Amino acid sequence: MARRDIEFDAEGVTLRGWFYSAEGAASPAPTVVMAHGYSAVKEMYLDSYAETFAASGLNALVYDNRNFGASDGEPRQEIDPWAQVRDYRHAITYAGTLPEVDENRIGVWGSSYSGGHVLVVAAIDRRVKAVVSQVPLVSGHANFRALVRADFIDGFRAQFDADRLARFEGKAPAMVPVVDKDPLAPSALPTPDSHAWFTETHRLRAPSWRNEVTLRSVEMLTEYEPVAYLPYISPTPLLMLPARNDVLTPTELAIAAYEQAREPKRLRILPGGHFDAYVDGFEQSSVPARDWFLEHLAS
């Protein structure tokens, strides 16, 4: 499988990743642009998806989000969803300059947080000709309230306000763990399956992943509403892949959001929980995505 390192400019920030060349396809070929979710780096199974796409005749362009992994950007470990949305668009622009890429046949794939990003990108960027949104975050407001006990929310707000004042006074942004073994301890993703997947995948595949994000990354999540863009994706074909027992980006939120999208669209519910899509349920998540892109980009 032909893979090479790439880097490209995102209006002053260098983003780095991999380009997988489509096997057995004439150049220029259709291409899938891909980035990972909340704090994750590309080694956390994005290579597996890209290999599946490339083996079927699709180029795959994979990159680390700004401030994470191999990509530049400051402050490190900060997740600004709107900056990540714009970076998808920078990646699409870069892809279109490559001789292997047919700029008129580009799709976007995202999972979890980036599953929300691709909904926004597909709605606002008509260069996107197909979109796959896997186990997506669709509403930061609703998701925050699904994960955080109601009597803890005021405490979070007080932390956000204190951090804002500290930054105003010139101090560094406060940091918070991405995951914690104790789901009631302060963390960005307070579910037991989040802790298990991130710590295990960090150990096995992704030594560059760090278990911290800026506190304001969590605040920005609460402000982010990809669901508002779902009606505007059409006529770009949308495949949404929620998980049956997702407790991190709750299943019912994703399915309710899907109902707001217009045709052409398809819903396929994956087995298991949020993180099963990457490992035990990889075939069930990757094959429908591959087939969706082949259907709408390769013809």
Side-chain angles (χ1 to χ4, degrees):
M1 173 119 9
R3 183 182 96 180
R4 68 176 186 269
D5 292 340
I6 57 165
E7 61 178 50
F8 58 94
D9 176 65
E11 293 187 330
V13 174
T14 299
L15 305 183
R16 298 183 179 87
W18 302 315
F19 184 84
Y20 290 77
S21 297
E23 291 187 9
S27 286
T31 301
V32 180
V33 172
M34 310 170 59
H36 221 319
Y38 203 90
S39 87
V41 293
K42 62 187 182 300
E43 290 82 4
M44 290 172 147
Y45 296 101
L46 288 198
D47 47 347
S48 300
Y49 287 95
E51 289 167 3
T52 296
F53 299 155
S56 300
L58 301 161
N59 297 318
L61 192 156
V62 180
Y63 65 93
D64 276 329
N65 288 306
R66 66 173 58 216
N67 309 335
F68 289 87
S71 291
D72 290 348
E74 298 287 342
R76 300 303 290 174
Q77 305 301 116
E78 175 144 294
I79 305 171
D80 180 339
W82 286 106
Q84 293 187 351
V85 164
R86 289 191 292 272
D87 287 341
Y88 260 98
R89 304 184 75 185
H90 296 315
I92 292 167
T93 299
Y94 168 68
T97 70
L98 300 176
E100 302 98 327
V101 172
D102 183 343
E103 64 181 351
N104 296 311
R105 293 190 291 165
I106 292 177
V108 291
W109 178 99
S111 187
S112 195
Y113 211 31
S114 67
H117 299 344
V118 295
L119 299 174
V120 179
V121 173
I124 63 180
D125 196 324
R126 289 303 168 199
R127 296 176 298 175
V128 174
K129 299 303 190 291
V131 54
V132 174
S133 174
Q134 176 176 289
V135 294
L137 176 130
V138 294
S139 168
H141 180 88
N143 216 114
F144 183 68
R145 279 152 182 77
L147 294 181
V148 178
R149 271 177 35 178
D151 56 331
F152 286 5
I153 288 177
D154 281 350
F156 263 103
R157 290 191 189 281
Q159 291 181 57
F160 296 155
D161 294 343
D163 181 48
R164 188 173 296 277
L165 177 59
R167 299 197 314 267
F168 178 79
E169 294 171 343
K171 298 174 185 174
M175 306 299 290
V176 64
V178 179
V179 294
D180 192 284
K181 189 173 184 178
D182 179 3
L184 295 181
S187 68
L189 306 179
T191 66
D193 61 339
S194 298
H195 179 266
W197 185 82
F198 273 101
T199 54
E200 182 75 357
T201 309
H202 167 56
R203 183 179 67 84
L204 293 176
R205 298 176 60 99
S208 70
W209 178 79
R210 289 165 50 187
N211 187 22
E212 62 176 1
V213 291
T214 62
L215 179 61
R216 65 179 168 187
S217 298
V218 181
E219 186 176 25
M220 285 188 277
L221 181 149
T222 70
E223 303 164 355
Y224 184 47
E225 296 293 311
V227 64
Y229 290 83
L230 272 157
Y232 312 126
I233 295 173
S234 177
T236 303
L238 163 66
L239 173 64
M240 188 180 286
L241 301 170
R244 178 172 298 278
N245 298 308
D246 196 327
V247 297
L248 181 61
T249 57
T251 310
E252 64 271 19
L253 296 181
I255 293 174
Y258 173 81
E259 295 302 320
Q260 298 190 37
R262 300 183 179 128
E263 298 290 346
K265 63 178 182 176
R266 187 175 302 161
L267 180 72
R268 178 138 178 188
I269 298 176
L270 303 177
H274 186 86
F275 296 98
D276 289 312
Y278 304 108
V279 190
D280 294 340
F282 174 74
E283 184 173 355
Q284 291 97 323
S285 67
S286 62
V287 170
R290 177 201 67 191
D291 292 349
W292 189 254
F293 289 128
L294 287 173
E295 178 182 352
H296 296 287
L297 298 180
S299 59

